[in-house]
Amino acid sequence: MLSKVKSCTLYGINGYLVDVEVDLSEGLPGFDLVGLPDSSIREAKDRVRAAIKNSQLLFPIKRITVNLAPADTKKEGSAFDLPIAIGIISCNLPIEQEILKNTMIIGELSLDGTVKPVNGILPMVYSAYKNGLKQCIVPYENAEEGAIVEGISVIGVHTLYEAIEFLQGIRSIEKTTVDIKAIMKQSINSKVDFSDVKGQAHVKRALEISAAGSHNLLMIGSPGSGKTMMAKRLPSILPDLTFDESIEITKIYSVIGLLPNKKSLITTRPFRSPHHTVSTSALVGGGRIPRPGEVSLSHYGVLFLDELPEFNKNVLEVLRQPLEDREVTISRVNATLTYPASFMLVCSMNPCPCGYLGDEEKCHCQPDTIKKYLAKISGPLLDRLDLHVEVSPVKYKDLDTNEKSESSASIKKRVLKAQKIQQERYKNENIYFNAQLGAAQIEKYCVLGKEEKDLLKAAFEKLNLSARAYHRILKVARTIADLDGRENIELQHLSEAIQYRSLDRKYWT
């Protein structure tokens, strides 16, 4: 007897449909799993056998062969437990094959027949919808996540027995529904606000420019000057996520198993701050079976690297390609996967190992020690950081005041206004922010007058800038002009952009 059940596996952050083919034949009792299953799937036969028996269902005393088709693709995970069990049971119980043909089934089984949640439900359900299936049976805990996909019925089940009764038509289970508009409108009141920051007006200005044009930023300053505090407040001035952006971020978090409990959709921009001991694989993704790293978990959000020189130099260098391409490709023997990585990189660091460079009483660092410390940050990486800003210690008069600084909501209004200008300007260019401008687009949208050209030429020669730094100055100047509501880049916009490129020459030369 032969039965076929639709299921799914993950390939990167996308679902990939798999046919679970079950054959029952006469002969010595046995249970064979074929089709390139990993160890967790091979262990499924013991879980399935116990779950069927403990659900008061008959486990056939026959030779059972399960094939996961296509057989040339590696399968992994425990999500095949439920479809394998249903495939075995459907060989004996009256379940219409037409129903199974239009239903995708996903779920891990406990030994007592309980259906446990699995990772990656959202991309799997989306794959089922794109392939024309009508409904999905998933673990009850994953049902709301899957129901985000419109156009397909998502049925949440608690047990194997419940799933069997539903497929037989004995039990009626309402499809899971979610109010997407209500979820997107949910505003999580941020506990951090720029109004908490005393002084540091020039740094807040740099952060505003960074947010408006999606530019990368480096802050250099002594300990306790507020670098980390301000970086954590950057997401509070970024625009709200669109539904499509939320879906893309949620898929990444769902695949890696980091989706918060009782949350079917991520509606706030990610802020990731990995420790400086992070490995290369953890930062950009990897492993024997490639998984997303911190750069992908920061997609459409902020990746904050605190104490930048403390990171392993080899780890920092792998950031170059994701910063340019806004995606990361991981090649392994088993697969080559591409993960999205469109993020803002914000870094902070001290000017020397002790952090008090220039203070004769506190700093006793030797020139060679300082040079070695700063050499951990390579020139190519510095070139990819659009804005470099020096963070001075906060003065006492700024701290000893009850006057509130400008709030995040007020700054956000200006950021949104500037981004609206950019989106209208680039509506036919397939880009959204000034930071994404290519060389040809810079010539088109960053036109300079004679005075501006003379200033940029003088800065280029005096600061010994690279071609990449030249282009990034123009991008930043374009953003400053947008914040100012000006159509053309003027002298003051270009002057401000140039000053954000001078610190690398101050500290590294």
Side-chain angles (χ1 to χ4, degrees):
M1 301 180 70
L2 180 66
S3 175
K4 289 185 180 181
V5 177
K6 297 283 186 183
S7 191
C8 195
T9 189
L10 292 170
Y11 190 80
I13 60 169
N14 298 309
Y16 186 81
L17 283 190
V18 173
D19 287 326
V20 180
E21 302 173 340
V22 181
D23 176 69
L24 268 59
S25 58
E26 300 298 333
L28 290 174
F31 197 149
D32 295 319
L33 266 169
V34 297
L36 287 184
D38 71 348
S39 57
S40 62
I41 300 176
R42 284 194 291 269
E43 292 169 354
K45 52 188 176 184
D46 296 317
R47 291 193 296 270
V48 167
R49 182 184 289 109
I52 292 176
K53 288 182 177 179
N54 291 325
S55 298
Q56 310 306 314
L57 296 165
L58 180 65
F59 188 83
I61 310 300
K62 293 187 176 182
R63 183 166 190 81
I64 302 170
T65 304
V66 177
N67 177 44
L68 306 177
D72 60 347
T73 303
K74 184 76 174 176
K75 324 300 187 306
E76 62 168 344
S78 55
F80 290 104
D81 290 6
L82 185 58
I84 290 173
I86 289 176
I88 292 171
I89 294 168
S90 65
C91 289
N92 293 326
L93 291 180
I95 298 177
E96 293 184 18
Q97 286 297 311
E98 190 63 29
I99 294 176
L100 293 177
K101 186 178 178 181
N102 292 298
T103 304
M104 184 179 76
I105 302 172
I106 304 164
E108 178 185 332
L109 287 174
S110 292
L111 299 185
D112 62 355
T114 302
V115 181
K116 301 179 71 174
V118 297
N119 296 336
I121 285 292
L122 179 60
M124 290 181 185
V125 173
Y126 184 73
S127 176
Y129 164 70
K130 296 297 285 184
N131 282 276
L133 300 187
K134 295 179 180 178
Q135 66 181 5
C136 295
I137 295 178
V138 303
Y140 183 79
E141 288 86 346
N142 293 130
E144 287 193 4
E145 179 189 338
I148 293 294
V149 181
E150 296 179 328
I152 189 169
S153 298
V154 177
I155 309 298
V157 296
H158 295 89
T159 65
L160 169 61
Y161 196 82
E162 190 177 308
I164 292 295
E165 286 191 329
F166 173 77
L167 289 169
Q168 287 182 304
I170 300 172
R171 182 191 292 259
S172 176
I173 303 176
E174 289 292 324
K175 71 176 184 179
T176 304
T177 57
V178 294
D179 189 342
I180 295 174
K181 291 183 179 179
I183 293 174
M184 293 301 297
K185 285 181 181 178
Q186 286 177 356
S187 58
I188 300 175
N189 294 324
S190 178
K191 295 181 181 179
V192 294
D193 195 282
F194 271 105
S195 61
D196 303 327
V197 181
K198 304 289 186 180
Q200 306 295 17
H202 69 294
V203 186
K204 287 189 279 187
R205 168 66 174 173
L207 287 165
E208 181 181 336
I209 296 168
S210 178
S214 192
H215 299 290
N216 303 319
L217 173 75
L218 172 66
M219 294 181 284
I220 305 176
S222 58
S225 54
K227 301 186 296 296
T228 303
M229 180 184 185
M230 288 183 281
K232 288 182 177 179
R233 282 154 178 75
L234 182 57
S236 67
I237 63 173
L238 294 175
D240 297 331
L241 287 173
T242 65
F243 177 67
D244 289 339
E245 288 174 336
S246 290
I247 287 287
E248 197 166 346
I249 296 169
T250 305
K251 285 168 73 174
I252 298 170
Y253 278 72
S254 176
V255 165
I256 207 169
L258 291 180
L259 201 61
N261 290 333
K262 299 181 180 179
K263 195 169 184 181
S264 55
L265 192 66
I266 291 178
T267 56
T268 56
R269 293 193 179 272
F271 179 86
R272 303 290 298 182
S273 181
H275 192 260
H276 61 258
T277 56
V278 67
S279 67
T280 301
S281 296
L283 188 63
V284 297
R288 183 180 59 85
I289 299 170
R291 290 162 59 88
E294 291 290 342
V295 296
S296 297
L297 293 171
S298 308
H299 188 50
Y300 292 136
V302 177
L303 176 63
F304 177 52
L305 302 184
D306 200 5
E307 304 297 343
L308 189 64
E310 301 300 332
F311 285 78
N312 187 297
K313 187 171 183 178
N314 293 333
V315 172
L316 293 178
E317 293 308 302
V318 299
L319 286 172
R320 293 192 204 175
Q321 184 257 338
L323 285 172
E324 291 292 335
D325 300 341
R326 297 188 177 271
E327 63 181 21
V328 57
T329 300
I330 304 166
S331 298
R332 295 291 183 271
V333 174
N334 295 328
T336 298
L337 301 174
T338 299
Y339 294 113
S342 181
F343 61 94
M344 284 174 56
L345 178 63
V346 178
C347 307
S348 71
M349 60 177 288
N350 298 326
C352 66
C354 77
Y356 298 101
L357 184 66
D359 189 326
E360 295 181 0
E361 293 183 2
K362 291 184 178 181
C363 182
H364 302 287
C365 298
Q366 298 299 314
D368 288 346
T369 306
I370 297 172
K371 186 176 181 181
K372 184 177 179 182
Y373 177 77
L374 295 175
K376 294 181 180 179
I377 316 302
S378 68
L381 182 59
L382 274 175
D383 257 359
R384 287 169 170 82
L385 298 171
D386 303 19
L387 295 93
H388 306 160
V389 59
E390 194 163 23
V391 186
S392 306
V394 184
K395 297 178 180 178
Y396 178 79
K397 66 177 183 179
D398 292 326
L399 294 172
D400 186 30
T401 178
N402 294 324
E403 186 179 343
K404 280 282 187 181
S405 301
E406 189 176 20
S407 68
S408 292
S410 178
I411 300 172
K412 186 175 180 178
K413 287 180 182 178
R414 296 196 296 270
V415 170
L416 291 175
K417 185 178 178 181
Q419 290 198 348
K420 187 177 180 180
I421 293 171
Q422 294 169 59
Q423 288 164 9
E424 181 65 26
R425 181 191 300 131
Y426 306 133
K427 59 185 178 182
N428 298 321
E429 297 283 358
N430 198 30
I431 61 173
Y432 303 98
F433 305 111
N434 291 327
Q436 298 172 316
L437 287 169
Q441 294 163 327
I442 288 174
E443 290 185 6
K444 182 178 180 181
Y445 297 109
C446 300
V447 180
L448 301 179
K450 185 180 184 306
E451 287 186 44
E452 289 79 14
K453 285 184 178 180
D454 291 342
L455 175 63
L456 187 55
K457 179 183 177 182
F460 185 87
E461 294 174 349
K462 184 175 182 180
L463 298 176
N464 192 26
L465 298 174
S466 67
R468 183 183 286 114
Y470 167 83
H471 285 144
R472 289 184 184 268
I473 286 175
L474 289 174
K475 292 178 189 179
V476 172
R478 178 69 269 171
T479 299
I480 296 171
D482 291 338
L483 282 168
D484 202 20
R486 301 303 178 92
E487 185 176 347
N488 297 319
I489 297 174
E490 299 175 3
L491 207 58
Q492 67 269 23
H493 307 141
L494 189 61
S495 300
E496 187 176 356
I498 291 171
Q499 78 172 10
Y500 293 124
R501 296 298 308 191
S502 59
L503 289 186
D504 54 339
R505 299 305 179 270
K506 174 181 177 180
Y507 288 103
W508 276 270
T509 59

